[in-house]
Amino acid sequence: MSKIKVRLSYLFGAFGHDFFAGVMMTYFIMFVTNHLFNTGNKNFDDKMVVIVTTLIVVIRICELFLDPFIGNAIDKTKTRWGKFKPWVVIGSIISGICLAILFTNMGGLTSRPILYLIIFAIVYIIMDIFYSFKDVGLWSMVPALSFDSLEREVTATFGRFGSTIGANLVTVAVVPIVLFFSVNQNSGAGDDRGWFAFGLITAILSILGAIIIGIGTKEVNSELRKNKTETSISKVFSMLFHNDQLMWTAFSYLIYALGWDLVNSLMLYYFTFVLGEPKEYSIYGTINVIIGMISVSLFPSLAKKFHRRNVLITSILVMLASLILLLLANNSVPLTIFAAVMVTLPTPLVFLVVMMTMTDTVEYAQLKLGHRDESLVLSVRPLVDKLASAVVNGIVGITVIVAGMSGSATFRTVTEAGKTRFKGIMIVAPMILLIMALFIFLKKVKITEEKHAEIVDELEKTWHEQIDQPTVSISIPPKTIDYVSPATGEILALSKVTDKNFSSGNMGRGFAIKPKGNHIISPFNGTVEATFPTKHSIGLKSDNGILTLIHVGIGTVNMKGEGFKQFVVKGQHVNKGQKLLEFSDALIKQNHLDDTIMVVIPNHKSINTFEYVHSSGNIINGENILRLSGPNTNK
């Protein structure tokens, strides 16, 4: 299956998924507050809105505790189509059908409130659970599509691009679709027919995207994908508690997400009931699609030039200034659109800063706790997003009622006092939350790019101790085995390198090479035991139990992976001579760094015979450099 086909299929699937997510988390609540209950009895309508929005909050928060079990169920799935694709397709079909049903009054059952609430709760629970199956399956399947690290990054980028378009395009589409299918325009708010059409189209887009993924991708079957660690609720919360940097990042992000979700969820109400110009909302949405893609594409260069922490500070300050401008815009549509766009502009940057910071806490926890668990750490961000969205849905329901915007309300029926209360919740409260989030992040989160580089450097020194596995045993046969050079260049004694951790012998016994090539191969048949996000080093264990660390350059951890390409993943079995890494020697020198390659065997004391075939001169990768035999029974 061609790579471009896989990438595009994943893009379309992510597009439909995030279009669905935007509708479910942001716009469904407007249907509930303004179209689902419209009997003319305001007390009854408001009461039902509060009950339904409360149900949504409770269901979504409770569902968070099911996510580890959902991930575990997916992990245990075995079908001819793979473990992820079936759940992506099944999850989209069932959640899509349920969403379409929820965008109706279920055949007039709203006149029988108790029965309606029971059925609503059942349908919403089914939708939410199967949406989670699809959500977990979709974003977990990238590693299953390829074992090539670069191809994974490209595929994930395609997916993120599609999801960004889907999440922002829904803002453009909501009003035109609703009004096109509505019989009663209702001052630009549409009617229940228009909202049902919007829900149905959303379901169709989600299902089509999932089917495209099902047809256009293929999961790679390999022994590497077996025996993965199962996730449990206790582990999730244990990781949160003990990984303090993850906890503080997640907490600050939760406060931020509450603020941003409040603004985002109430924006359409603002255009409809404060400005009285719901059709202008599509202009705001169209601009968002463009700036969303620009923000995502600019992040790597901005983070590199200004550092992630500064990007976050600037982003929050821009959002705060824009909210102040929105508060002062009054009834000016152009000024409101400009302010709303400027509030939205930095949000992808904040998301990426948080996501990268949380990712860096993987190594922090590995160093602190002695084991590595990527799945637990990376599951926290979606959990925070879901929690924030659930809480905000409840707040939106209450806000709409206290502002007098529920039921059949129109721009003309909303009082100035109601608009003031609405602005207080939509603009002032988020400003306070954003300030709190920034303060907590700056005060408590210490994982910067520099700190992460130090952690990775420390992990490299003790990587063989950090491996979550039984004690390594040496099983070298009595006869000697050959250990080939992983690189081409001039051989140097390890004692002559400028990095004292290697020259002192603390890292192990071995050799160094001044490179005259640009790639690293495996010196033996074995398994990849340790990889690092900076891609400048790799830890291996031979089939006989020999541990080896290959480290390209001195200080290259600070290059943060730039100029390095990794061709293998942790857990992968490799053959002698197989390419592991590729590096740009020119870029290393441009950064004024030493390009010396260090090769060490940490458990050399367990080996009986450790003989250098070559200890000086030039060598070609694949040529014998060590002769080993053992084990050493007298250690």
Side-chain angles (χ1 to χ4, degrees):
M1 189 170 290
S2 68
K3 292 181 179 179
I4 191 63
K5 182 179 180 181
V6 172
R7 295 169 186 173
L8 290 175
S9 298
Y10 197 68
L11 183 152
F12 283 115
F15 166 81
H17 180 71
D18 270 41
F19 193 100
F20 183 98
V23 173
M24 181 183 76
M25 296 181 184
T26 304
Y27 295 105
F28 174 66
I29 200 71
M30 190 166 193
F31 169 74
V32 172
T33 58
N34 293 89
H35 299 278
L36 187 56
F37 304 104
N38 200 357
T39 65
N41 184 339
K42 183 169 176 55
N43 289 334
F44 172 80
D45 292 343
D46 288 350
K47 178 182 177 181
M48 291 300 291
V49 166
V50 170
I51 294 174
V52 169
T53 52
T54 301
L55 271 175
I56 292 173
V57 173
V58 172
I59 290 170
R60 300 212 67 209
I61 291 177
C62 290
E63 191 273 328
L64 295 178
F65 293 91
L66 294 177
D67 275 7
F69 293 104
I70 289 172
N72 198 26
I74 293 174
D75 199 43
K76 292 179 179 179
T77 299
K78 295 179 181 179
T79 73
R80 56 182 293 188
W81 302 282
K83 65 171 61 177
F84 300 111
K85 289 200 301 183
W87 288 113
V88 171
V89 176
I90 293 170
S92 68
I93 292 173
I94 296 178
S95 62
I97 292 172
C98 289
L99 184 72
I101 293 172
L102 290 171
F103 269 101
T104 70
N105 60 14
M106 299 185 193
L109 281 182
T110 48
S111 61
R112 303 173 64 184
I114 295 179
L115 181 59
Y116 172 81
L117 290 172
I118 292 172
I119 296 177
F120 173 88
I122 293 172
V123 175
Y124 195 93
I125 289 170
I126 294 172
M127 180 201 70
D128 205 33
I129 288 175
F130 279 92
Y131 166 80
S132 293
F133 267 107
K134 183 191 177 186
D135 189 42
V136 174
L138 179 72
W139 297 114
S140 300
M141 71 184 300
V142 172
L145 298 178
S146 174
F147 285 116
D148 183 270
S149 180
L150 179 62
E151 181 58 27
R152 287 180 175 184
E153 291 178 2
V154 174
T155 302
T157 301
F158 269 72
R160 192 66 207 162
F161 192 77
S163 69
T164 299
I165 297 174
N168 287 302
L169 191 61
V170 66
T171 307
V172 180
V174 54
V175 174
I177 291 176
V178 169
L179 294 182
F180 181 81
F181 289 98
S182 293
V183 174
N184 182 0
Q185 298 291 294
N186 193 24
S187 299
D191 59 23
D192 54 355
R193 296 174 186 83
W195 282 95
F196 169 71
F198 179 59
L200 183 61
I201 290 171
T202 298
I204 291 171
L205 287 174
S206 176
I207 293 170
L208 283 177
I211 292 174
I212 289 172
I213 279 185
I215 296 173
T217 65
K218 183 178 181 181
E219 296 179 29
V220 181
N221 291 318
S222 170
E223 291 296 317
L224 300 183
R225 294 180 57 203
K226 296 181 179 180
N227 301 320
K228 295 170 69 178
T229 303
E230 296 183 1
T231 305
S232 66
I233 291 175
S234 61
K235 280 190 175 182
V236 170
F237 288 99
S238 174
M239 179 62 72
L240 267 173
F241 180 76
H242 291 100
N243 186 344
D244 59 290
Q245 289 300 288
L246 174 62
M247 181 184 70
W248 284 117
T249 305
F251 183 60
S252 64
Y253 181 59
L254 173 62
I255 303 301
Y256 161 83
L258 289 171
W260 163 240
D261 284 357
L262 261 179
V263 176
N264 190 44
S265 297
L266 291 171
M267 192 67 76
L268 181 53
Y269 289 95
Y270 190 92
F271 275 82
T272 303
F273 297 108
V274 177
L275 294 180
E277 298 287 351
K279 293 182 180 179
E280 302 298 325
Y281 186 73
S282 295
I283 298 176
Y284 157 71
T286 302
I287 299 173
N288 274 352
V289 173
I290 299 171
I291 66 171
M293 292 185 289
I294 293 174
S295 293
V296 170
S297 62
L298 285 178
F299 176 75
S301 58
L302 290 174
K304 179 181 178 181
K305 186 173 183 178
F306 302 109
H307 298 290
R308 294 198 301 250
R309 208 172 187 85
N310 293 328
V311 171
L312 179 70
I313 294 170
T314 305
S315 296
I316 297 294
L317 292 177
V318 170
M319 293 180 73
L320 289 170
S322 302
L323 286 172
I324 293 173
L325 184 61
L326 185 62
L327 191 63
L328 300 175
N330 293 321
N331 295 324
S332 171
V333 175
L335 193 56
T336 297
I337 292 176
F338 176 76
V341 166
M342 292 306 296
V343 172
T344 306
L345 174 64
T347 54
L349 300 178
V350 175
F351 173 87
L352 289 168
V353 168
V354 170
M355 185 173 70
M356 296 308 298
T357 303
M358 284 187 171
T359 302
D360 286 352
T361 66
V362 171
E363 284 75 37
Y364 173 79
Q366 183 178 357
L367 183 62
K368 180 180 180 181
L369 305 177
H371 67 90
R372 182 182 183 89
D373 204 329
E374 297 169 350
S375 60
L376 290 180
V377 171
L378 298 180
S379 71
V380 171
R381 199 273 309 157
L383 286 176
V384 173
D385 276 332
K386 288 181 180 181
L387 176 59
S389 174
V391 173
V392 166
N393 277 340
I395 297 173
V396 168
I398 297 171
T399 302
V400 171
I401 291 172
V402 300
M405 297 177 179
S406 61
S408 58
T410 65
F411 163 68
R412 300 186 185 282
T413 64
V414 179
T415 65
E416 288 301 318
K419 292 178 183 179
T420 299
R421 287 192 290 269
F422 179 83
K423 288 181 180 180
I425 298 173
M426 177 188 168
I427 301 175
V428 178
M431 289 175 65
I432 296 171
L433 290 169
L434 292 179
I435 293 171
M436 289 174 58
L438 181 60
F439 176 80
I440 294 169
F441 190 92
L442 296 178
K443 187 75 174 176
K444 294 294 185 178
V445 179
K446 308 300 182 183
I447 299 292
T448 61
E449 292 95 318
E450 293 76 15
K451 181 65 177 178
H452 180 250
E454 293 176 9
I455 291 170
V456 172
D457 193 49
E458 187 66 27
L459 279 174
E460 289 172 351
K461 299 173 187 175
T462 59
W463 69 274
H464 55 290
E465 300 171 5
Q466 300 290 337
I467 297 174
D468 192 11
Q469 63 174 20
T471 303
V472 176
S473 61
I474 298 291
S475 58
I476 304 175
K479 63 178 183 178
T480 58
I481 64 168
D482 295 322
Y483 183 109
V484 305
S485 174
T488 297
E490 181 186 355
I491 303 172
L492 300 175
L494 203 58
S495 59
K496 293 184 178 181
V497 303
T498 58
D499 189 320
K500 292 184 179 179
N501 289 308
F502 288 96
S503 61
S504 65
N506 290 336
M507 298 286 289
R509 191 176 179 186
F511 54 91
I513 295 176
K514 199 68 175 175
K516 295 181 180 179
N518 69 341
H519 63 271
I520 303 295
I521 64 169
S522 177
F524 45 59
N525 297 332
T527 304
V528 178
E529 289 290 352
T531 59
F532 302 91
T534 46
K535 303 176 185 177
H536 70 294
S537 62
I538 192 165
L540 306 170
K541 183 183 76 171
S542 76
D543 292 340
N544 311 107
I546 300 170
L547 295 177
T548 291
L549 176 68
I550 304 172
H551 189 289
V552 181
I554 298 173
T556 45
V557 64
N558 295 301
M559 292 176 66
K560 305 177 184 68
E562 186 178 4
F564 293 88
K565 186 186 295 184
Q566 183 176 293
F567 298 96
V568 293
V569 296
K570 182 181 177 181
Q572 182 173 345
H573 189 273
V574 293
N575 297 317
K576 181 189 292 186
Q578 183 173 337
K579 186 187 286 190
L580 305 175
L581 301 173
E582 201 171 84
F583 59 93
S584 171
D585 194 52
L587 195 59
I588 293 174
K589 291 176 178 177
Q590 283 177 24
N591 282 272
H592 307 291
L593 298 172
D594 189 335
D595 62 354
T596 302
I597 299 167
M598 284 77 69
V599 183
V600 294
I601 298 176
N603 60 347
H604 63 92
K605 293 181 180 179
S606 299
I607 300 172
N608 185 29
T609 301
F610 195 105
E611 179 184 345
Y612 289 92
V613 178
H614 297 285
S615 58
S616 62
N618 293 319
I619 196 165
I620 300 173
N621 60 16
E623 186 179 351
N624 290 346
I625 192 168
L626 294 178
R627 187 172 290 118
L628 309 173
S629 67
N632 183 0
T633 57
N634 299 318
K635 59 174 181 167

